[in-house]
Amino acid sequence: MPSYTAPVKDSRFILEQVLGMEALAARIPAFAGATPDVVGAVLEEAGRFAAERLLPLNRTGDVQGCTRQSDGSVTTPDGFREAYAAMIAGGWTTLGSPEAFGGQGLPAMVSAAANEYLNSANHSFAMYSGLTEGAVEAILAVGTAAQKALYVPPMVAGRWTGTMNLTEPQCGTDLGLIRTRAEPQADGSHSITGTKIFISAGEHDLTENIVHLVLARTPGAPVGSKGISLFIVPKFLVQADGTPGARNAVSCGALERKMGIHGNATCVMNYDGATGWLLGEEHKGLAAMFIMMNAARLWVGLQGLSQAEIAYQNAALYATERRQGRALTGAAEPDQPADPLIVHPDVRRMLMEGKALTEGLRALCLWGALQADLAHHGDSDKERQDAADLLSLLTPVIKGYGTDQGFHVTVIAQQIWGGHGYIAENGLEQYVRDARIAMIYEGANGVQAMDLVGRKLPQNGGRAVQLLFATIAAEVAEARGRGGTLVPLADALEKATGQMQAATLWLMQNGLTRPDNAGAAATAYMQLTGIVALGLMWLRMASAAATLAEAGGGDAAFLSAKGVTARFFAERMMPRAGALRREIEGGADALMALPAEAFLPGG
């Protein structure tokens, strides 16, 4: 069985030294409870729970999968129910939720750090509660006082979970094609009829109720996305005292057979006149659902990091233990029949990419979570606005680039294991299969790229990307002022940022007049933005490590490794920015030139 050690030291380094958690707690009341002692204890215990309770169930879930019973109920794999009960007892669903509704009120960045560990240990299991936080956000943002009081406390406590019901057989990304109907009833409720597919955790045996958020059309609604409304449809109707009552007319019609995440129930959901209640305003359901979707996209980006981390850990262990061949410079261990894999430069290349990407993505995910915190709790209008702008810009990057690179790390980890990585019992092939879905659901990564280029980039006159460029310029100047090993890192980041600035200008000049140019450039631009964002994270981490080392604090080996990995990212990965810029400036001509039939067999 694969092993897992939660990267608590790295999480705390980012939270405390890079993001300045103590300074935030000193000036912003919402951070006051996030003291180093509290956060350290939370992360240590989360890591222990992940490794001891969830990791042993990961392969069980993969092999057994879920089972749909004849009555439409779903049974989860052996051990899931007990582990979920332990998770509820430990309060792991309450970390970042508001205290007014039973949560612990910790910052989102602390909750994100803990959730990384749960997702690393068992991706499928973590999905059962994963969408609930986003559903809670949507209800808190647009729900009535009665809806908040009725649904949010048990969802925060983990006794109820939440789902997102968007996709239908005839539509995925294009939600304007939704056909599910919502007929008004005399008591103010609506009768919901339709079929939804690909619903993660749509039915299961872990909780006493499941709260579905469902997109549907009311009679006479405008065509397209402007006519969609959002409804709360619980599995069990909720009685006046807040307890589940009669079964609603919603059921799991089938379980999807999938490439990965077998331990999670991906359901076809049938609504046969189910009772639902409007959430937010009529015909404004898509905007309300996007509150949940944006939270989910950040969570999926975290999944990319999580799968990368556990795959990387097991690849690194294997590379130090597996003996194969001799070092190019001569036998490293002449008393042994062969040297360990880690002596070979190409194996080290893969390990260094894995290390640079996982640690860089961790910093980016936690910085993104901090922006979510500051957007709500910043102590000035400017701080709140800046954070909201950065979060909007970063969300498609964290989701798209984060899951692309998370999958890439699982693949190179499997490659390090060689043929043994292809064998199911060793676990690496499951990480590859499980990680692949993160590039698809909650908006496929091509959609994320188009969101970045088509919406987030020009939004408010480009205010968010200009803020990112200004932030980088200030931190590059500060690093140069400190001198030493930070200078080449600052130089590399400045050069990569220049490539992104040039690509941005090209898009502004060529994408507006010819939209296909923007579409053709979108994925490359998202990758370019990801490289620059990780470059900024590595400059920050190297700077924080240098500060600690100069003060004689911290783990010397850990801090040294930060500097070396930052150098690797600057020398070996940031130069890719130039190639991406050239790809963007290639435009859409060749890409759009062939007729459709030329892509078909024999064409």
Side-chain angles (χ1 to χ4, degrees), residues 48 110 205 281 305 324 373 392 449 476 550 558:
R48 187 176 301 109
V110 176
D205 58 357
E281 297 182 47
L305 159 64
Q324 200 84 104
D373 287 322
S392 178
V476 163
E550 289 163 7
F558 174 85

Side-chain angles (χ1 to χ4, degrees), residues 8 19 29 74 101 129 140 159-160 189 202 240 247 256 304 336 349 389 401 409 429 475 491 505 555 557 570 595:
V8 175
L19 300 182
V74 171
F101 293 93
S129 60
L140 290 177
R159 301 196 315 275
W160 301 359
S189 67
R247 179 67 189 257
E256 303 289 359
Q336 297 293 329
R349 172 191 63 81
D389 285 347
Y401 180 77
V409 174
E429 60 85 35
E475 297 193 29
D491 290 345
L505 180 61
D555 180 332

Side-chain angles (χ1 to χ4, degrees), residues 363-379:
L364 182 61
C365 286
L366 295 182
W367 188 46
L370 172 59
Q371 304 317 305
D373 287 322
L374 294 176
H376 288 100
H377 305 299
D379 59 7

